[in-house]
Amino acid sequence: MALTGRAALLAALGSIPVGILEPGWTGILAVNGPLALACACDYALAAPVRRLLLTRSGDTSTRLGDTADVTLTITNPSRRPLRAQVRDAWPPSSWRPGTEIESSRHRLSVPPGERRRVTTRLRPTRRGDRQADRVTIRSYGPLGLFSRQGSHKVPWTVRVLPPFTSRKHLPSKLARLRELDGRTSVLTRGEGTEFDSLREYVPGDDTRSIDWRATARQSSVAVRTWRPERDRHILLVLDTGRTSAGRVGDAPRLDASMDAALLLAALASRAGDRVALLGYDRRVRALVRGRSAGDVLPSLVHAMASLEPELVETDARGLTATALRTAPRRSLIVLLTTLDPAPVEQGLLPVLPQLTQRHTVLVASVADPHIAGMAQARGNADAVYEAAAAAQAESERRRTAEQLRRHGVTVVDATPEDLAPALADAYLALKAAGRL
């Protein structure tokens, strides 16, 4: 039982001493009889909190940056009307800073035997699962002098998915894919390895594409057209070790890698290829495989939702062994990791031949645009030192990338905004060259 602000004011005006009757219970020592009686009646007429029935419904998932509406249904089985203030508590990352009070607190009235709904709108600021905490209800009497208060556990989970901001590039990449498939332009030799059809020769065609047997059976010269192979296997490997925790802009490198992986997965599944995902540092953090083309993207998004960087050094040997087990057939292995010299030279390079011997390997890395800005800095001694440090860092990354290329690896090194389209372009180039 709690003394409200209105009761405290009346107590002061009526010279009613306020004290603690017992631990955890706030009340009054009545001197003014009528006022004490009014307070007691007000408390008695407040609807009981413990008997209320609470259930939830609404959204169970949302993308990072979007909103999720969770509805709380409150049923009042008592004979007294409920006049209440409700606080629907969620973790702090469920709202933007400064909006928690406005979003989580509600006032409502529920007549006896009826129910009412209130909706809490979440706007999460981090990926992962957001679980509802307790619902605290303060029930007031008709005079507002005293209130009853209690809490209920009403479980609910909202999964916050990656935002997939790179999906805006998907239409243009699909148009390029259709060109490779021969749907909007004529293919030439080298763009794919599977025979598609015969057509009449036109000036400019590669003479190596002429089908002499077909030409002998007709009056015109016939050439073969080719299309990219389908049903290829692609394994997306996310390095979730300590280097993926480094922040570039407002987000960890891992988030940019996931966004690029989602665009590539969407493009590859539309191309008829099979896509799998492996998240690894010292153990498997995420694994998705064997999904159909229509189910692969939702499966990847849900697997990535709770994936967070681990502050441990990635075990390159374990990663390689797990990738080989996950992709037993010849595949394109896309490793989204760092190009920092130490992890690559000491960890990846010694085990890289195990991958390149059986698979086509593509390494994609997130570059920091701030370093490029530092390299252009001039004007004072500090700026010159920063430019020198940035130039050295860029030189080391180029040297590391060149070491990987000498092992037959395709390397994509781009800023977070450019990584996803650059990775998609590299995939299309490999497909056009018949390397998949």
Side-chain angles (χ1 to χ4, degrees), residues 358-418:
R358 295 173 51 183
H359 304 286
T360 301
V361 180
L362 191 159
V363 171
S365 181
V366 182
D368 190 346
H370 182 62
I371 293 180
M374 289 173 55
Q376 304 299 323
R378 299 293 187 274
N380 55 51
D382 290 341
V384 171
Y385 279 115
E386 288 183 357
Q392 181 179 2
E394 290 179 336
S395 176
E396 290 177 348
R397 289 180 71 88
R398 286 193 297 268
R399 180 172 59 85
T400 303
E402 186 58 34
Q403 287 180 298
L404 292 172
R405 292 189 181 99
R406 285 198 293 267
H407 284 77
V409 175
T410 301
V411 179
V412 175
D413 185 22
T415 60
E417 294 77 15
D418 299 330

XYZ file of all heavy atoms in Angstrom, residues 358-418:
453
model
N 40.950 -27.474 -53.114
C 39.661 -28.093 -53.447
C 38.589 -27.091 -53.835
O 37.600 -27.456 -54.460
C 39.170 -28.919 -52.240
C 40.036 -30.099 -51.915
C 39.593 -30.754 -50.627
N 38.162 -31.046 -50.604
C 37.541 -31.565 -49.542
N 38.234 -31.825 -48.429
N 36.253 -31.816 -49.591
N 38.758 -25.820 -53.437
C 37.683 -24.851 -53.611
C 38.207 -23.563 -54.239
O 39.402 -23.273 -54.211
C 37.028 -24.520 -52.264
C 36.518 -25.718 -51.530
N 35.384 -26.399 -51.898
C 37.005 -26.368 -50.432
C 35.172 -27.407 -51.065
N 36.156 -27.409 -50.167
N 37.254 -22.782 -54.764
C 37.542 -21.404 -55.148
C 37.337 -20.537 -53.913
O 36.288 -20.623 -53.255
C 36.608 -20.940 -56.275
O 36.788 -21.805 -57.403
C 36.918 -19.514 -56.680
N 38.324 -19.715 -53.582
C 38.286 -18.947 -52.339
C 38.228 -17.457 -52.661
O 38.977 -16.961 -53.517
C 39.512 -19.251 -51.451
C 39.455 -18.441 -50.153
C 39.571 -20.743 -51.130
N 37.344 -16.763 -51.967
C 37.218 -15.307 -52.068
C 37.270 -14.745 -50.658
O 36.516 -15.174 -49.789
C 35.901 -14.944 -52.756
C 35.686 -13.483 -53.197
C 34.616 -13.428 -54.289
C 35.266 -12.590 -52.042
N 38.179 -13.806 -50.436
C 38.313 -13.161 -49.127
C 37.777 -11.740 -49.238
O 38.194 -10.979 -50.117
C 39.774 -13.152 -48.646
C 39.916 -12.292 -47.390
C 40.251 -14.566 -48.363
N 36.857 -11.378 -48.366
C 36.281 -10.030 -48.333
C 36.563 -9.405 -46.973
O 36.420 -10.063 -45.940
C 34.780 -10.082 -48.588
N 36.974 -8.145 -46.995
C 37.362 -7.462 -45.758
C 36.794 -6.053 -45.737
O 36.649 -5.408 -46.776
C 38.887 -7.418 -45.627
O 39.275 -6.787 -44.431
N 36.487 -5.586 -44.534
C 35.935 -4.246 -44.332
C 37.079 -3.268 -44.119
O 37.874 -3.407 -43.183
C 34.979 -4.213 -43.121
C 34.389 -2.822 -42.953
C 33.880 -5.248 -43.290
N 37.172 -2.270 -44.988
C 38.194 -1.230 -44.863
C 37.621 -0.044 -44.099
O 36.424 0.250 -44.191
C 38.677 -0.790 -46.241
N 38.479 0.629 -43.364
C 38.057 1.784 -42.575
C 38.196 3.046 -43.414
O 39.317 3.434 -43.778
C 38.920 1.895 -41.313
C 38.381 2.922 -40.322
O 37.502 3.720 -40.717
O 38.831 2.922 -39.166
N 37.091 3.738 -43.755
C 37.209 4.959 -44.565
C 37.950 6.073 -43.850
O 38.473 6.990 -44.495
C 35.751 5.339 -44.837
C 34.967 4.689 -43.746
C 35.698 3.429 -43.420
N 38.023 6.000 -42.524
C 38.739 7.038 -41.781
C 40.232 7.017 -42.105
O 40.887 8.064 -42.111
C 38.526 6.828 -40.282
C 39.191 7.866 -39.426
N 38.865 9.207 -39.489
C 40.185 7.768 -38.492
C 39.617 9.882 -38.633
N 40.427 9.025 -38.016
N 40.757 5.835 -42.397
C 42.182 5.734 -42.733
C 42.470 6.450 -44.050
O 43.483 7.144 -44.193
C 42.609 4.267 -42.795
C 42.524 3.645 -41.389
C 44.019 4.122 -43.352
C 42.924 2.198 -41.330
N 41.569 6.295 -45.030
C 41.751 7.008 -46.298
C 41.715 8.518 -46.093
O 42.467 9.265 -46.724
C 40.677 6.582 -47.295
N 40.848 8.982 -45.193
C 40.805 10.409 -44.891
C 42.079 10.878 -44.203
O 42.583 11.976 -44.482
N 42.609 10.055 -43.303
C 43.860 10.410 -42.636
C 45.009 10.509 -43.634
O 45.886 11.369 -43.498
C 44.202 9.366 -41.563
C 43.312 9.399 -40.344
S 43.651 8.007 -39.223
C 45.400 8.203 -38.929
N 44.996 9.636 -44.633
C 46.094 9.645 -45.609
C 46.151 10.932 -46.410
O 47.209 11.293 -46.930
C 45.952 8.448 -46.552
N 45.043 11.643 -46.497
C 45.007 12.900 -47.241
C 45.256 14.111 -46.356
O 45.283 15.240 -46.852
C 43.631 13.048 -47.916
C 43.252 11.883 -48.817
C 44.211 11.697 -49.968
O 44.714 12.689 -50.528
N 44.494 10.444 -50.318
N 45.421 13.889 -45.050
C 45.558 15.018 -44.122
C 46.904 15.706 -44.285
O 47.935 15.066 -44.481
C 45.398 14.523 -42.682
N 46.887 17.013 -44.209
C 48.088 17.848 -44.260
C 47.825 19.107 -43.435
O 46.742 19.306 -42.909
C 48.422 18.247 -45.717
C 48.723 17.087 -46.662
C 50.024 16.370 -46.277
N 50.378 15.373 -47.279
C 49.921 14.132 -47.285
N 49.064 13.743 -46.359
N 50.305 13.276 -48.222
N 48.833 19.956 -43.326
C 48.600 21.260 -42.700
C 49.400 21.491 -41.444
O 49.801 22.622 -41.164
N 49.652 20.448 -40.653
C 50.474 20.609 -39.457
C 51.205 19.297 -39.202
O 50.983 18.288 -39.883
C 49.631 21.028 -38.242
C 48.477 20.070 -37.986
O 48.672 18.861 -37.913
N 47.273 20.626 -37.841
N 52.058 19.311 -38.187
C 52.889 18.143 -37.921
C 52.046 16.924 -37.539
O 52.312 15.804 -37.987
C 53.895 18.461 -36.806
N 51.003 17.129 -36.711
C 50.160 15.998 -36.317
C 49.484 15.383 -37.530
O 49.385 14.153 -37.648
C 49.113 16.463 -35.308
C 49.732 16.814 -33.964
O 50.869 16.372 -33.707
O 49.086 17.538 -33.183
N 48.987 16.228 -38.437
C 48.309 15.716 -39.626
C 49.270 14.926 -40.506
O 48.899 13.898 -41.086
C 47.688 16.869 -40.411
N 50.510 15.388 -40.598
C 51.493 14.681 -41.424
C 51.809 13.319 -40.821
O 51.911 12.312 -41.539
C 52.769 15.527 -41.559
C 53.885 14.732 -42.230
C 52.478 16.783 -42.372
N 51.944 13.253 -39.488
C 52.187 11.962 -38.843
C 50.996 11.017 -39.050
O 51.169 9.814 -39.286
C 52.450 12.158 -37.348
C 53.872 12.570 -37.050
C 54.160 13.814 -36.503
C 54.940 11.698 -37.292
C 55.468 14.199 -36.225
C 56.246 12.067 -37.013
C 56.505 13.323 -36.485
O 57.795 13.699 -36.218
N 49.770 11.556 -38.956
C 48.587 10.733 -39.202
C 48.567 10.221 -40.638
O 48.227 9.067 -40.893
C 47.321 11.543 -38.918
C 47.074 11.811 -37.443
C 45.765 12.550 -37.215
O 45.107 12.890 -38.224
O 45.411 12.794 -36.054
N 48.933 11.079 -41.583
C 48.963 10.660 -42.983
C 49.994 9.560 -43.200
O 49.750 8.602 -43.955
C 49.256 11.865 -43.876
N 51.140 9.686 -42.541
C 52.172 8.660 -42.686
C 51.702 7.325 -42.104
O 51.919 6.261 -42.695
C 53.457 9.118 -41.999
N 51.049 7.383 -40.938
C 50.537 6.151 -40.323
C 49.459 5.512 -41.198
O 49.421 4.282 -41.363
C 49.979 6.454 -38.938
N 48.579 6.338 -41.768
C 47.525 5.809 -42.640
C 48.126 5.197 -43.896
O 47.679 4.131 -44.352
C 46.546 6.918 -42.998
N 49.130 5.843 -44.488
C 49.771 5.295 -45.684
C 50.438 3.951 -45.398
O 50.378 3.026 -46.210
C 50.788 6.295 -46.223
N 51.045 3.837 -44.210
C 51.665 2.570 -43.845
C 50.606 1.478 -43.678
O 50.801 0.336 -44.126
C 52.459 2.728 -42.551
C 53.160 1.440 -42.111
C 53.953 1.631 -40.830
O 53.957 2.711 -40.246
N 54.628 0.586 -40.393
N 49.484 1.816 -43.035
C 48.414 0.840 -42.850
C 47.847 0.379 -44.192
O 47.607 -0.816 -44.403
C 47.300 1.430 -41.977
N 47.641 1.313 -45.096
C 47.121 0.954 -46.420
C 48.125 0.096 -47.180
O 47.740 -0.853 -47.885
C 46.786 2.212 -47.211
C 45.579 2.976 -46.669
C 45.292 4.226 -47.471
O 46.232 4.747 -48.121
O 44.135 4.688 -47.462
N 49.406 0.415 -47.042
C 50.432 -0.374 -47.720
C 50.457 -1.810 -47.204
O 50.598 -2.766 -47.977
C 51.806 0.285 -47.531
O 52.823 -0.504 -48.088
N 50.311 -1.974 -45.892
C 50.305 -3.319 -45.312
C 49.096 -4.110 -45.788
O 49.195 -5.310 -46.066
C 50.321 -3.218 -43.792
C 51.643 -2.709 -43.223
C 51.591 -2.545 -41.722
O 50.463 -2.603 -41.165
O 52.648 -2.344 -41.104
N 47.937 -3.462 -45.900
C 46.747 -4.160 -46.395
C 46.932 -4.590 -47.850
O 46.538 -5.695 -48.233
C 45.505 -3.273 -46.257
C 45.046 -3.074 -44.825
C 43.809 -2.185 -44.773
N 42.627 -2.867 -45.285
C 41.814 -3.617 -44.546
N 42.084 -3.812 -43.259
N 40.746 -4.188 -45.077
N 47.521 -3.705 -48.663
C 47.752 -4.078 -50.066
C 48.734 -5.241 -50.170
O 48.560 -6.149 -50.990
C 48.271 -2.862 -50.842
C 47.209 -1.810 -51.135
C 47.715 -0.813 -52.158
N 48.863 -0.057 -51.663
C 48.782 1.116 -51.038
N 47.575 1.646 -50.816
N 49.859 1.733 -50.621
N 49.748 -5.232 -49.321
C 50.718 -6.323 -49.339
C 50.061 -7.638 -48.917
O 50.310 -8.690 -49.523
C 51.890 -5.990 -48.414
C 52.978 -7.070 -48.368
C 54.193 -6.574 -47.593
N 53.835 -6.208 -46.233
C 53.761 -7.070 -45.221
N 53.992 -8.357 -45.430
N 53.458 -6.659 -44.014
N 49.218 -7.571 -47.904
C 48.510 -8.780 -47.460
C 47.578 -9.292 -48.553
O 47.505 -10.504 -48.808
C 47.711 -8.476 -46.181
O 48.596 -7.987 -45.165
C 47.005 -9.725 -45.676
N 46.859 -8.377 -49.198
C 45.959 -8.785 -50.284
C 46.734 -9.427 -51.425
O 46.288 -10.413 -52.028
C 45.168 -7.582 -50.778
N 47.918 -8.892 -51.723
C 48.722 -9.451 -52.807
C 49.223 -10.852 -52.442
O 49.288 -11.742 -53.310
C 49.907 -8.531 -53.103
C 50.727 -8.940 -54.302
C 49.906 -9.016 -55.570
O 48.963 -8.203 -55.723
O 50.196 -9.901 -56.398
N 49.554 -11.076 -51.185
C 49.953 -12.417 -50.759
C 48.818 -13.414 -50.978
O 49.037 -14.551 -51.427
C 50.357 -12.404 -49.281
C 51.694 -11.737 -49.004
C 52.022 -11.766 -47.520
O 51.308 -11.193 -46.694
N 53.097 -12.436 -47.164
N 47.601 -13.001 -50.676
C 46.457 -13.881 -50.879
C 46.230 -14.151 -52.361
O 45.913 -15.281 -52.756
C 45.202 -13.261 -50.250
C 45.184 -13.159 -48.716
C 43.987 -12.351 -48.244
C 45.166 -14.540 -48.081
N 46.383 -13.139 -53.190
C 46.176 -13.323 -54.637
C 47.203 -14.284 -55.216
O 46.891 -15.025 -56.155
C 46.229 -11.969 -55.339
C 45.056 -11.038 -55.010
C 45.053 -9.805 -55.887
N 43.951 -8.926 -55.543
C 44.057 -7.841 -54.777
N 45.257 -7.521 -54.256
N 42.998 -7.094 -54.509
N 48.418 -14.271 -54.680
C 49.427 -15.206 -55.185
C 49.053 -16.653 -54.890
O 49.579 -17.570 -55.528
C 50.798 -14.873 -54.582
C 51.438 -13.633 -55.190
C 52.929 -13.612 -54.899
N 53.206 -13.437 -53.483
C 53.417 -12.255 -52.902
N 53.361 -11.136 -53.628
N 53.692 -12.183 -51.612
N 48.150 -16.853 -53.927
C 47.654 -18.195 -53.629
C 46.377 -18.511 -54.416
O 45.715 -19.518 -54.145
C 47.369 -18.339 -52.129
C 48.597 -18.506 -51.294
N 49.419 -17.445 -50.967
C 49.170 -19.616 -50.721
C 50.420 -17.886 -50.211
N 50.294 -19.189 -50.052
N 46.034 -17.649 -55.365
C 44.844 -17.889 -56.179
C 43.550 -17.415 -55.564
O 42.463 -17.809 -56.014
N 43.642 -16.556 -54.553
C 42.460 -16.075 -53.859
C 41.999 -14.754 -54.476
O 42.814 -13.878 -54.758
C 42.750 -15.885 -52.354
C 41.553 -15.277 -51.636
C 43.139 -17.212 -51.726
N 40.706 -14.613 -54.684
C 40.129 -13.329 -55.080
C 39.912 -12.493 -53.829
O 39.364 -12.985 -52.833
C 38.799 -13.536 -55.811
O 39.016 -14.351 -56.962
C 38.197 -12.208 -56.242
N 40.347 -11.237 -53.864
C 40.283 -10.379 -52.676
C 39.385 -9.178 -52.962
O 39.511 -8.528 -54.004
C 41.689 -9.896 -52.265
C 41.603 -8.970 -51.043
C 42.589 -11.088 -51.960
N 38.489 -8.900 -52.033
C 37.634 -7.711 -52.078
C 37.895 -6.929 -50.797
O 37.682 -7.447 -49.694
C 36.146 -8.075 -52.184
C 35.285 -6.826 -52.108
C 35.874 -8.834 -53.475
N 38.369 -5.708 -50.944
C 38.661 -4.843 -49.795
C 37.931 -3.525 -50.028
O 38.280 -2.761 -50.920
C 40.171 -4.617 -49.671
C 40.538 -3.831 -48.416
O 39.730 -3.822 -47.468
O 41.628 -3.232 -48.393
N 36.892 -3.250 -49.235
C 36.056 -2.076 -49.480
C 35.496 -1.562 -48.156
O 35.465 -2.272 -47.148
C 34.921 -2.413 -50.446
N 35.051 -0.318 -48.189
C 34.430 0.301 -47.018
C 33.073 -0.346 -46.744
O 32.520 -1.039 -47.612
C 34.253 1.805 -47.240
O 33.416 2.005 -48.387
C 35.596 2.477 -47.475
N 32.508 -0.130 -45.554
C 31.220 -0.774 -45.240
C 30.128 -0.487 -46.263
O 29.326 -1.371 -46.583
C 30.867 -0.190 -43.863
C 32.187 0.126 -43.242
C 33.062 0.579 -44.374
N 30.063 0.736 -46.794
C 29.031 1.075 -47.756
C 29.250 0.385 -49.095
O 28.290 0.097 -49.816
C 28.976 2.592 -47.972
C 28.524 3.397 -46.757
C 29.624 3.534 -45.714
O 30.805 3.253 -46.057
O 29.316 3.914 -44.563
N 30.502 0.114 -49.450
C 30.819 -0.444 -50.764
C 31.091 -1.943 -50.741
O 31.201 -2.557 -51.810
C 32.054 0.270 -51.346
C 31.814 1.756 -51.541
O 30.657 2.130 -51.793
O 32.794 2.532 -51.446
